[in-house]
Amino acid sequence: MITKGKEIPTYEELEVQDVALSSPFLKAGALHMGKQCEAENNEFMLCRMEEKDPRKCINEGKVVTSCAMKFFQVVKRNCAQEFYNFAMCLDRGSQDMSYDFCRKTQTIFDDCMKEKAGIERPGYGYFCEPRIHETKRPQPMPEPPPVYPDALVEPPSDDIPRQPSKYQGRPIFF
């Protein structure tokens, strides 16, 4: 359900070529792609967090998708067979596509990417390290505090007469 004042982007604005790969292939290339497209992804996520409206970040999302497409084109050009073997090992090796059973094929794929494409797999914990992302987008204005027209201007004063307690207060424990 959409409220009357909201504008929806047109199909032309949303049109972008999708990355048509299944989960094992995306997981096989995730570490390398995460490092290659880190700046674009951080810009998109910063936009999403600051704007709090995904419609304002459509262009940043398109940049992330195009970076992923370029990355997988590089993989296909340079290390297609090694990538395929690694993805199939992830798919067939365990139910949750664990890397544990595919270390040999992962090493072969990593070496191929390093030699032929010049892309090195990031080290363990690379994505957990804190980094500062510089952006060219202006920071959005903060939202003004909500104004409630029916709120009390002043709290009630202490001179209001009150009835004394009927039972002179009750102890918590009997």
Side-chain angles (χ1 to χ4, degrees):
M1 183 167 173
I2 298 174
T3 59
K4 189 175 184 178
K6 298 284 182 178
E7 291 187 26
I8 300 174
T10 63
Y11 285 116
E12 290 79 26
E13 290 176 305
L14 297 174
E15 187 65 32
V16 67
Q17 183 180 2
D18 290 333
V19 180
L21 293 174
S22 61
S23 297
F25 291 95
L26 292 173
K27 187 165 182 172
L31 296 174
H32 296 281
M33 186 182 70
K35 189 172 181 183
Q36 283 297 112
C37 300
E38 182 176 15
E40 293 86 354
N41 191 42
N42 288 347
E43 183 68 28
F44 174 69
M45 294 308 294
L46 181 67
C47 179
R48 289 284 309 264
M49 297 305 288
E50 285 182 347
E51 296 291 344
K52 296 181 179 60
D53 186 3
R55 295 171 295 173
K56 296 180 181 177
C57 303
I58 291 174
N59 293 330
E60 287 83 357
K62 287 180 180 181
V63 171
V64 172
T65 304
S66 70
C67 180
M69 289 297 291
K70 289 175 189 173
F71 170 75
F72 284 115
Q73 288 169 356
V74 168
V75 171
K76 184 178 179 181
R77 223 175 317 156
N78 296 308
C79 302
Q81 188 59 45
E82 293 86 354
F83 179 65
Y84 179 79
N85 292 340
F86 181 37
M88 286 299 102
C89 180
L90 288 174
D91 190 30
R92 297 175 183 156
S94 65
Q95 287 179 326
D96 60 349
M97 291 190 290
S98 176
Y99 290 110
D100 296 339
F101 305 106
C102 301
R103 293 297 180 192
K104 290 180 185 178
T105 54
Q106 181 182 16
T107 304
I108 293 169
F109 174 63
D110 291 343
D111 292 341
C112 178
M113 288 296 289
K114 187 175 181 180
E115 285 176 20
K116 295 181 180 177
I119 301 172
E120 191 170 349
R121 180 173 65 106
Y124 184 75
Y126 174 81
F127 296 107
C128 297
E129 296 171 358
R131 290 186 245 341
I132 297 175
H133 176 73
E134 298 292 332
T135 183
K136 295 176 184 162
R137 280 185 318 103
Q139 187 173 5
M141 297 298 294
E143 290 183 17
V147 177
Y148 302 108
D150 59 343
L152 294 175
V153 178
E154 296 179 12
S157 63
D158 290 335
D159 60 346
I160 297 174
R162 299 175 189 234
Q163 297 285 338
S165 173
K166 186 175 180 180
Y167 297 106
Q168 304 300 321
R170 293 185 182 201
I172 296 173
F173 301 103
F174 293 104

